[in-house]
Amino acid sequence: MDTYKRLPLAIQRGKGCWVWDTKGKRYLDAVAGIATCSLGHSNNALRRSLTAQLNQIQHVSNLYEIPEQEQLARWLVDHSCADKAFFCNSGAEANEAAIKLARKYAHCERRINRPVILTAKASFHGRTLAAVSATGQPNYHKNFEPLVEGFKFFSYNNYQSFITSFEQAEINGPSVCAVLIEPLQGEGGIHPGEVIFFQKLKEKCVKEKILLIFDEVQTGMGRTGNWWGYENLGIEPDAFSIAKGLGGGHAIGALMVKNHAALFEPGDHASTFGGNPFACKAAYTVATEIERRNLLPQVKQRGSYLKDELKKLVNRFPKQLKEVRGLGLIQGLVIRDDAALTAPAFIHLALKERLLVLAAGPKVIRIVPPLIINNNEINYILAKLEAALNNCS
Ligand SMILES: *Cc1c(COP(=O)(O)O)cnc(C)c1O
């Protein structure tokens, strides 16, 4: 169907941070499959481990024990605040699992009959019906009503707005069972979470026995320079969803939970493909490669270099650009509201300069390169952004 508005580019192959189109033209890929190809394209470790996995076994059902799944679960638990994992195939599915878990928690632990989950305005949680209902952006809801009930919205980073939504939801007694929130809003415009807001939010959740669930689909797996976005905020969620960067470009998602929230029992939830040997081997390879190459400090360093240089660009183009927002290797270059330029238009200009970037809303240019990017490649991004800006001014 006509589901996607596609750019006039067919990518045929890739190596590291670079891709080539069917005509042999080379581009720097600062999209990375939308923050998924963490190790870049055609990574040697992934090629080796996945070739071996293809030769061994590709898919078995969760009717059986799956050693590759146990190995990945063990790694994730050892490297996060969580104690248990449920595996699925995408970010939306991980959030679906989180929503079902929150509702089971409401019914079984809190005796709430009509549970409400609070989520943020300008959030993004995916496109399945419950995930899109949880998404605080009306444009994603249009024509898909009736939505799944039981979601109420508050303004991100605004504690007063959170309290107002909480109190409205609880007007006839307890009903709020969970908060689902991104530690940095990605799709909604690259808004990092504020430490003070999140600390107050955490306190309130503990006090009211509300599950605090993070959507780490875009921020997780090293994107911000820490393994998990919550580490930037000095708090731990009760559960968090991951996907995008987890498989290094292969389809896998997970819901990670602490023991006290690990309420699913046999029969509650399942996925045919979730946690299969191939996907789990991909994710385990990504995780252990990031560790072996000690990429996290590098993501921080290169991310702050990129951010500092983007700020200089903002100073050089004050009529077009407003500011830079982001953490590590998820950065948003924000276009001024009163500039004629839009992010989608800029994407085309960048493409002409052989640079792939994407939008996060109408006025934010999102830069999410592979985590392996080096300083020369960052300089290439900066030079091409500048060239594209010169072409539109
Ligand atoms: C991309 C994204 C999702 C949806 O993930 P899919 O794999 O496309 O279902 C959910 N939440 C956040 C924060 C995302 O960035």
Side-chain angles (χ1 to χ4, degrees):
M1 282 191 279
D2 207 8
T3 313
Y4 302 99
K5 199 155 119 198
R6 296 177 195 272
L7 290 156
L9 168 70
I11 297 171
Q12 193 171 48
R13 67 188 174 93
K15 187 71 195 164
C17 295
W18 301 90
V19 293
W20 285 260
D21 70 10
T22 41
K23 293 176 196 120
K25 281 197 222 157
R26 189 178 81 148
Y27 303 78
L28 192 133
D29 186 7
V31 175
I34 313 194
T36 61
C37 306
S38 334
L39 299 178
H41 298 284
S42 203
N43 171 263
N44 284 336
L46 266 178
R47 284 166 55 199
R48 268 196 300 274
S49 75
L50 292 182
T51 303
Q53 192 64 50
L54 285 174
N55 287 326
Q56 189 181 315
I57 196 154
Q58 295 160 39
H59 177 77
V60 296
S61 162
N62 283 299
L63 291 166
Y64 312 104
E65 291 177 9
I66 302 177
E68 293 83 358
Q69 188 182 118
E70 288 173 28
Q71 185 181 48
L72 174 61
R74 168 63 50 208
W75 188 94
L76 289 168
V77 162
D78 285 347
H79 292 80
S80 77
C81 67
D83 304 301
K84 305 256 175 179
F86 167 78
F87 290 105
C88 52
N89 314 286
S90 68
E93 271 181 84
N95 287 331
E96 288 280 335
I99 292 162
K100 281 180 71 177
L101 185 82
R103 287 186 170 188
K104 183 167 187 195
Y105 168 79
H107 291 293
C108 299
E109 309 279 313
R110 300 270 322 272
R111 309 287 154 207
I112 294 170
N113 287 329
R114 299 187 70 77
V116 169
I117 298 173
L118 299 179
T119 74
K121 291 178 187 164
S123 59
F124 184 79
H125 299 297
R127 304 297 202 126
T128 58
L129 194 55
V132 90
S133 302
T135 292
Q137 300 192 57
N139 52 321
Y140 288 116
H141 296 164
K142 199 173 150 242
N143 292 335
F144 299 114
E145 299 88 353
L147 299 175
V148 174
E149 61 178 312
F151 296 98
K152 294 214 180 319
F153 306 99
F154 59 93
S155 302
Y156 193 67
N157 280 337
N158 183 332
Y159 190 67
Q160 194 48 55
S161 168
F162 169 76
I163 290 298
T164 305
S165 298
F166 171 77
E167 284 170 355
Q168 277 168 3
E170 303 245 315
I171 210 144
N172 297 316
S175 71
V176 177
C177 64
V179 175
L180 173 63
I181 188 165
E182 296 156 271
L184 172 153
Q185 288 191 325
E187 197 82 21
I190 319 291
H191 296 277
E194 284 169 14
V195 173
I196 295 176
F197 167 77
F198 273 88
Q199 297 203 332
K200 283 196 204 154
L201 178 66
K202 170 78 187 179
E203 247 172 60
K204 182 73 175 169
C205 287
V206 170
K207 182 163 168 252
E208 305 288 346
K209 296 191 167 56
I210 296 168
L211 285 184
L212 180 57
I213 305 173
F214 273 15
D215 180 340
E216 294 256 13
V217 169
Q218 193 155 178
T219 48
M221 219 54 199
R223 177 57 53 189
T224 69
N226 285 314
W227 281 119
W228 316 110
Y230 66 76
E231 294 173 68
N232 301 304
L233 299 167
I235 56 162
E236 291 182 354
D238 300 297
F240 61 96
S241 53
I242 51 179
K244 286 199 169 84
L246 180 58
H250 297 277
I252 181 168
L255 178 65
M256 304 300 304
V257 298
K258 290 199 179 202
N259 272 331
H260 68 267
L263 299 173
F264 282 160
E265 298 164 302
D268 279 341
H269 199 50
S271 166
T272 298
F273 287 118
N276 73 46
F278 187 82
C280 288
K281 183 50 74 76
Y284 183 73
T285 304
V286 169
T288 49
E289 270 299 288
I290 292 175
E291 265 189 315
R292 189 185 66 79
R293 295 169 64 172
N294 198 22
L295 288 179
L296 295 190
Q298 196 173 300
V299 170
K300 281 187 191 151
Q301 281 159 17
R302 307 233 158 116
S304 62
Y305 173 66
L306 173 63
K307 189 173 194 177
D308 289 345
E309 294 297 314
L310 288 172
K311 281 182 191 157
K312 292 182 193 164
L313 212 55
V314 173
N315 291 334
R316 284 207 290 283
F317 292 90
K319 289 210 184 84
Q320 272 97 356
L321 302 177
K322 183 169 142 195
E323 59 176 341
V324 185
R325 296 192 294 251
L327 285 170
L329 287 173
I330 176 165
Q331 296 291 338
L333 184 57
V334 185
I335 299 167
R336 284 174 64 116
D337 288 324
D338 57 4
L341 183 64
T342 65
F346 186 84
I347 305 310
H348 284 270
L349 294 169
L351 184 63
K352 287 208 181 79
E353 298 296 331
R354 310 269 190 99
L355 170 67
L356 307 185
V357 288
L358 79 159
K363 287 284 186 178
V364 181
I365 300 156
R366 179 169 22 167
I367 302 166
V368 283
L371 305 185
I372 56 161
I373 193 165
N374 65 35
N375 281 342
N376 286 338
E377 290 160 339
I378 290 177
N379 289 336
Y380 179 102
I381 294 179
L382 295 161
K384 297 302 180 178
L385 288 172
E386 178 147 17
L389 283 161
N390 274 322
N391 285 345
C392 69
S393 49

